[in-house]
Each structure stands twice: as C-alpha cells, then as structure tokens.
Amino acid sequence: MRGNIVSLIALAAGVILSLLLGWFAVGNYRSARPIAEGNLRGLALSLTSALESIAARDSSLASLAAFRARDIAYISVIDRNGTIVFHSNADLIGSRVTDQRYVTVLGGRGLAENRIRLGTGEEVYEYHAPLHLPGRTLALRLALHPWRADAVIHRARVGMVVLFSLLAAAWTMGVLLYRYARRAQEHRLEMVRRERLAQLGEMGAVLAHEVRNPLSGIKGYAQLLMERSNDDENREFSALIVTEAIRLESLVSDLLAYARPEPGPEGPLQVNAVIDHVLALVDPEARAAGVTIAASLAEGLATRGNEARLEQLILNLAKNGIQAMPDGGTLTVVTRREGKTVEISVADHGHGIAPHDRERIFTPFFTTKARGSGLGLAVCRKIAEAHGGSISVADNPGGGTVFRVTLPLHR
C-alpha cells in the first residue's frame, strides 16, 4: 500500500514537472518571433537614423553607396512619383517601382514593415520610413537579412523539440524501469511465497505423519467402543469421536497431498476424458444437493500431465462448486482452446467470493467455510503450476464464481 502511494506521488510529480517544462518550452518558442521582429525593427531604426544623417549632408545621396552593413540586403530611396533616386544596385536608379508599399510612409501614416520574398527566393525584412531631407521628404526602403534574428526562432524551436524529445525519452525510460522493477518485485514475492509454502509443506508433512498413527488408534478404539458398548449415550459419543477422527484424517491427507512434490507432466491426456470421469464421480453428490451439471466440452483438446493429479484438481473445483450451492443450482463445466492453451472453466451460481478474499483464496489454510481445511484450492494451484499452467478466479456473470484453469495445449 505504501509503495503504491509513493508511486502515485512520483507519477504526479513527474506529470507536473513535464507540464511545467512543456509550458516553458512552448512559451519560449511563441515569444521568439516577437523578439526576432523586435530585433529587426530596432536594427532598422538604427540604420534609418544613420542613413538619414548621411543623406542630410549629401543631397545627391551618392555617399549612401559607401554605407555598408552585413545585415543590409539593399537600400532604396523613392520619391513621391515612385522613381528610385538611389539604390544599392546602381542599375535600378531612375527606374520606377511597380508596387505601392512606399505610399504609406509618404502619406504621413507612419512606418511600414513586412517580409517579402526576392526574385532570388530569399526572404527579407522590408522596412519603410520617411527620409526627411532639406526641402523634401523621400521614402526609404530598407531590406534586411533576417538570418541573425531568425536564429532566435530557430534556437527556440530546436530547444522545444529537444526538450520534448528528452521528456519522451525520460518517460519511456521511466515506464521501462517501472515495469522492470515491478517484474523484479513480483519475482521476489513469488520466490518468497514458494519458499514459505515449501517450509509450510515440510512442516505439515511432519505433523501429518506424527498425527496419522495416533489418530488411527483413536478412531479404532472409538469404533471398538461403539460396537461393544450397550449404553446408547456411550455409542453416540463414540460415533462423534469416529466422525471427528475421520475429518482429521481427511485434513492429514490434504496436508500430505499439499506437501508431496508434484510430478511433472508425463504423457498426453485427453482433457475431456478426465473431466467426464470427474463429473461421473461427483454426480451422486450433485443430485443429492439438487445441483444440475452442465458440460460444454470442445473436441480434440489434449495436454501433457499426470492424470491422477489433474483429476484431483478438477474434482476439488467441482466439489467446491457443489458445496457453494446448498439450495441447488447449476454447475457449468466448459473446455475450449485459447491460442496455445486449453482453458477449463468451472462455474457455480452460489454466493460468490468477496473481492478482498480473492487474493488469498489460493493461500494454504485460508478458507471461508466453517469446517474447511483451506488446502483444496492451494492444492489446485500447485497442480496447475506443476503442469505449466495457471488458475484464476472471477465473478460468474450469472452470479456466483467461475474458476479458470489454463494448461499447455498438446498437439
């Protein structure tokens, strides 16, 4: 429980940190373009001031040709008639512009800026500003290379992509590490469980051997006393002793069955033949309890295993199902093929198993019955695992419980 809480806190912290980093990266990228445009505008204002100062000292504008800056794509000065009176390309001086972008600044409506694409395919930042000279006002068209300014946008974009890539890699690595840690923990828990059950089985075997002999003597003497006694009350007490001794013998047998090493899979078995035999064994008990047995068995299902042990597995499940329906009902047994496995399901319509009991239902000595040993389902799990399979429990959609056993399919 504590580990789950720590995991949830770590997950929440990771999600919050990732959202904050993502918000920072996106915000930085979205603010990069206004910053780049601001840098270009500031550079254009500085250059415009310098060019206006040069032009004020030279009305012919010829000295503008000597003005050099690596960010300048070209400089053009246009009069009110649209004639180019100066251009960085001297061949264009005297020609007329074909656009009306310069009109805005000569009309006294402030500055104008935009990005245009030149005939060479290059995109430039174009800035229009009035050029105030003695006795006249001209339009200055200044085209700047946006390389350095756009580098801000590029760096922000690359930073965002790198950050999101790192976040994706970190989450992928985190998920893989979490899955590895979970598997390692499950493996450790399984090893601890098996070691504990092995110790429990050894202890149970010792106790069973020590108890079986004196128990047989107690039962034998009680039976002898019951036969020879002329007192009805003594015979009744003797019968009770015999009944309880038989119950203890059954518990001892269960302990020995659980402690006994499970034989590995032996030869091929027809699953349906094993089930038919078990159902024939429990049919009298089912009839006495008012339970109807319904079987739906798929044909041609075989597995490798020990026939006696698999019969014990199915017998335990069938008896549990019958005992779970004291007022009668239907015990449903189904076999089917699931990929490379054989699935055997045994379903009853009893009261079901509480969700909090399902995790412990296969633990030795855990039982919900008043007089149960708590070893039947533990033995079932041991047999299933010894045959390379598994057993699980779930709610029956029609009410009650369904146990599912999966075994490797033999072809």
Side-chain angles (χ1 to χ4, degrees):
M1 182 65 179
R2 184 177 179 182
N4 291 337
I5 293 175
V6 172
S7 299
L8 288 175
I9 292 175
L11 177 62
V15 170
I16 293 173
L17 181 61
S18 299
L19 290 175
L20 288 174
L21 290 174
W23 173 79
F24 171 78
V26 172
N28 186 49
Y29 173 69
R30 294 180 65 180
S31 64
R33 182 168 290 277
I35 291 174
E37 296 296 328
N39 290 342
L40 285 172
R41 190 178 302 111
L43 177 61
L45 287 171
S46 298
L47 293 174
T48 297
S49 178
L51 291 171
E52 189 173 37
S53 177
I54 295 172
R57 295 194 299 270
D58 180 11
S59 59
S60 67
L61 305 180
S63 56
L64 293 178
F67 189 83
R68 294 286 187 271
R70 64 175 183 172
D71 293 298
I72 297 177
Y74 65 84
I75 301 171
S76 178
V77 180
I78 307 168
D79 65 13
R80 293 183 177 276
N81 298 321
T83 302
I84 299 176
V85 295
F86 174 80
H87 200 284
S88 299
N89 184 355
D91 294 337
L92 297 178
I93 297 176
S95 61
R96 295 180 62 84
V97 296
T98 58
D99 61 81
Q100 300 295 315
R101 295 194 299 273
Y102 71 95
V103 174
T104 302
V105 297
L106 290 178
R109 285 178 284 177
L111 309 176
E113 59 181 345
N114 60 302
R115 291 193 179 225
I116 63 169
R117 191 168 297 278
L118 303 179
T120 59
E122 178 189 359
E123 185 183 79
V124 297
Y125 171 79
E126 189 180 71
Y127 181 81
H128 292 85
L131 194 63
H132 300 289
L133 301 178
R136 58 177 177 164
T137 299
L138 302 175
L140 172 65
R141 176 176 289 179
L142 181 62
L144 303 177
H145 297 296
W147 304 325
R148 287 197 294 177
D150 287 353
V152 176
I153 303 175
H154 178 70
R155 283 195 298 270
R157 183 186 297 114
V158 170
M160 182 176 66
V161 171
V162 169
L163 180 59
F164 279 114
S165 299
L166 290 175
L167 285 175
W171 276 103
T172 302
M173 185 66 68
V175 169
L176 292 177
L177 289 175
Y178 175 75
R179 292 181 62 183
Y180 174 78
R182 282 293 300 272
R183 288 181 180 178
Q185 182 182 17
E186 290 173 358
H187 178 70
R188 286 195 300 270
L189 292 175
E190 181 64 17
M191 294 301 294
V192 170
R193 184 186 71 84
R194 292 189 178 186
E195 183 178 356
R196 186 177 69 249
L197 294 181
Q199 294 173 351
L200 186 62
E202 292 175 4
M203 182 181 68
V206 172
L207 289 175
H209 281 296
E210 294 296 327
V211 170
R212 172 170 281 185
N213 291 335
L215 187 60
S216 298
I218 292 172
K219 186 179 72 170
Y221 282 118
Q223 288 173 335
L224 184 62
L225 180 62
M226 185 173 59
E227 292 174 0
R228 295 187 177 183
S229 177
N230 296 322
D231 187 349
D232 292 339
E233 186 176 4
N234 287 337
R235 281 201 299 271
E236 183 179 350
F237 289 152
S238 299
L240 288 175
I241 294 173
V242 172
T243 301
E244 291 303 313
I246 292 173
R247 190 175 71 84
L248 286 175
E249 278 187 337
S250 176
L251 175 58
V252 169
S253 298
D254 288 342
L255 273 172
L256 290 175
Y258 184 76
R260 183 189 305 119
E262 285 294 333
E266 297 176 359
L269 296 173
Q270 291 299 319
V271 175
N272 293 346
V274 174
I275 292 176
D276 285 338
H277 180 64
V278 171
L279 295 184
L281 291 176
V282 300
D283 185 62
E285 182 180 349
R287 290 176 181 273
V291 173
T292 302
I293 297 177
S296 175
L297 309 180
E299 302 237 344
L301 297 180
T303 188
R304 293 184 65 86
N306 183 287
E307 184 173 1
R309 300 307 291 157
L310 289 179
E311 282 185 358
Q312 183 66 53
L313 189 160
I314 305 302
L315 182 63
N316 287 355
L317 295 180
K319 282 181 170 291
N320 282 352
I322 293 171
Q323 293 168 8
M325 297 181 286
D327 299 326
T330 301
L331 182 73
T332 306
V333 181
V334 177
T335 62
R336 59 174 169 268
R337 177 176 176 176
E338 289 289 337
K340 296 182 179 180
T341 64
V342 176
E343 182 180 285
I344 306 168
S345 64
V346 180
D348 62 64
H349 292 85
H351 297 295
I353 299 173
H356 60 273
D357 288 336
R358 288 180 192 163
E359 294 181 0
R360 301 184 295 164
I361 200 71
F362 298 105
T363 303
F365 304 112
F366 176 82
T367 181
T368 57
K369 301 176 184 177
R371 299 175 64 85
S373 67
L375 288 171
L377 290 177
V379 170
C380 289
R381 180 176 186 175
K382 190 177 180 184
I383 295 172
E385 292 179 349
H387 285 76
S390 63
I391 184 171
S392 62
V393 61
D395 286 332
N396 188 0
T401 306
V402 56
F403 286 91
R404 291 187 176 89
V405 179
T406 59
L407 299 170
L409 178 68
H410 176 72
R411 299 183 181 180

